[in-house]
Amino acid sequence: MTQTRSRYLAILLVLILAGSLRVALVYLQTDQLQQDRDAYLAIAHNLATGHGYSSSMSTETNEIQPTAFRPPLYPCLLAVIYYLRAVPVGIGIAQIILGILTVWLTWRTAKCLQMEVGGIFAAGIVTTDPVLLQYTAYAMTEVLASFLSILLLYFLISSFSAEKSPTGTKLPVPISFWAGIIWGSAILCRPTYLAFFGVWIAARLTSSLLQRFHIVKIQSSVKQKSEQITYLTLGIILAVSPWLIRNLVVFHSPILTTTHGGYTLLLGNNPVFYQEVVQKPWGTVWSGKSLHTWQKSLDEQITQQVPAIKSEQERDRWMYQRAKQNISKQPEQFVQSCILRFKRFWNVSPLTHSTLTAKPLINWIIAGYYSLVLIGCFGGLFMVIWNKEKKWAPLVLLIFSFTLVHLFYWTNMRMRAPLVPAIALLSIYGWSQIVRFFKFARPSKASQNDRHNNR
């Protein structure tokens, strides 16, 4: 059997394993697919039944309440399943398919990065990632976001590879445009991708300026990068414009993301959280009872505001302002909470128990698994930056932007799910470099014999 056929057989087995694990979890936890943790199911049901993008209906007046509290992509996907009357089985099937595609795209992206064999191992990491496995059985955005991440990375790396070469080969512009469509879709799944776009475009523009002022010979490359950014931006605008226009019509405000950001910022920056979690030992979680009491007091404060807070936008702005006030009043606690959020985001073991972590042994296995993956990932990040591997730049910037955002907003290990494919690729690259280092650092038998004979 040739090497090529062996590799194709290996990735086929990995894909079969990915599907099997996800089918088993969905089968064992079908009831979880019907639990509406983040109101996605309620919005999707209203969409499918012709009530528009609304989270609830008033029981007294039967009046529909439009919302922009949650990003629209995932509820729209669920609405199709509701319309086909395929809930909850259809949700499970969609989650399984997205998971398998994520594994396959991880392998394809690895090939673009010249990791023929390593790509199989990276796909294996995505296949067995505990967070992605667990949330396959939940009607939440983790699985869709990880799929969009690796799809976006694949297109970005492909478009980067297709940039104009010194021989004058023309850049296939549509690749950048379609990357923009995917990026816009990702923003409609999780607004954090908007920060990724800001970081990415800043890096590209900085690179272009440095080339313009220091390397005169590649002026055409600077022009080509400008065209790439233009087409990518057009793709993003096209993807997000329906949501933007809808919000402009419904709320008379050009809401690009959601009205959820203020709550997420305030959730991790308030005196109760500082006192009950930040100033406590590592591992302390905010109890459900205390959280519920805080949320109730928050609602009471909002109802007492003069002038009255009526709309979602006003509520969102009030929460942003309150969070900023808390930060300015308690700067030391804010810094400590940022450090806590960083540790939570990159934690190797979940702080709250789920089906996968119900037993201590499983929790230890997960901790060991993530420790190995993250050691390789951080090693890979160091080597990529040290060697100035330009093809890997989108992965580095994606990880940086998500980490940066979640220093300030509420976070836990779940928020890291969209990064899993990038982490897997960097981990395999990092471990390959570590193995290569020790392989070359260890003297061969021939060199040992030579030294022995020279004595």
Side-chain angles (χ1 to χ4, degrees), residues 93-124:
I93 292 173
Q95 297 280 85
I96 292 167
I97 292 173
L98 287 170
I100 295 172
L101 287 175
T102 303
V103 173
W104 179 74
L105 282 166
T106 301
W107 171 68
R108 291 287 299 173
T109 305
K111 291 187 69 176
C112 293
L113 295 168
Q114 283 79 51
M115 291 204 311
E116 293 285 341
V117 177
I120 298 171
F121 290 97

Side-chain angles (χ1 to χ4, degrees), residues 224-435:
Q224 206 68 47
K225 286 181 180 180
S226 299
E227 291 180 359
Q228 186 186 42
I229 291 172
T230 300
Y231 279 99
L232 189 142
T233 305
L234 287 173
I236 292 175
I237 293 172
L238 182 63
V240 302
S241 58
W243 176 244
L244 195 68
I245 293 169
R246 178 264 181 186
N247 291 332
L248 190 60
V249 172
V250 175
F251 297 110
H252 308 291
S253 177
I255 301 170
L256 177 59
T257 54
T258 67
T259 56
H260 183 58
Y263 174 76
T264 313
L265 183 66
L266 183 57
L267 186 63
N269 295 284
N270 64 80
V272 179
F273 179 73
Y274 290 162
Q275 182 180 357
E276 296 191 12
V277 180
V278 176
Q279 296 179 347
K280 298 296 182 180
W282 166 251
T284 303
V285 296
W286 200 354
S287 68
K289 182 179 180 180
S290 174
L291 175 60
H292 178 73
T293 302
W294 175 79
Q295 290 171 329
K296 188 176 180 180
S297 68
L298 199 66
D299 290 334
E300 291 175 354
Q301 292 176 47
I302 291 174
T303 57
Q304 294 171 4
Q305 295 300 307
V306 179
I309 296 175
K310 297 180 180 179
S311 67
E312 274 190 2
Q313 305 97 293
E314 292 173 347
R315 184 184 179 94
D316 188 46
R317 284 193 292 268
W318 183 87
M319 290 188 178
Y320 264 117
Q321 292 172 359
R322 178 55 62 91
K324 292 175 183 177
Q325 290 173 7
N326 293 335
I327 292 169
S328 62
K329 288 179 180 178
Q330 298 176 285
E332 293 183 4
Q333 285 80 359
F334 169 67
V335 173
Q336 292 175 12
S337 68
C338 288
I339 296 172
L340 176 66
R341 282 187 284 271
F342 180 85
K343 291 164 64 178
R344 282 186 164 191
F345 189 79
W346 290 105
N347 195 15
V348 296
S349 178
L351 297 177
T352 56
H353 294 296
S354 63
T355 304
L356 284 180
T357 60
K359 297 181 179 180
L361 177 61
I362 296 177
N363 212 30
W364 278 106
I365 292 172
I366 291 174
Y369 172 94
Y370 277 127
S371 296
L372 289 173
V373 170
L374 292 181
I375 288 171
C377 175
F378 296 141
L381 279 170
F382 174 80
M383 293 305 298
V384 163
I385 296 170
W386 181 264
N387 295 328
K388 299 179 181 179
E389 299 279 0
K390 293 182 179 180
K391 275 190 174 183
W392 289 80
L395 285 79
V396 176
L397 296 176
L398 174 68
I399 290 174
F400 172 77
S401 59
F402 267 69
T403 303
L404 180 64
V405 168
H406 286 292
L407 285 178
F408 307 101
Y409 290 82
W410 178 265
T411 191
N412 50 38
M413 278 182 65
R414 177 171 68 89
M415 306 301 177
R416 201 173 72 213
L419 305 182
V420 167
I423 290 171
L425 290 165
L426 282 163
S427 181
I428 295 302
Y429 179 77
W431 278 114
S432 69
Q433 296 299 309
I434 292 171
V435 170

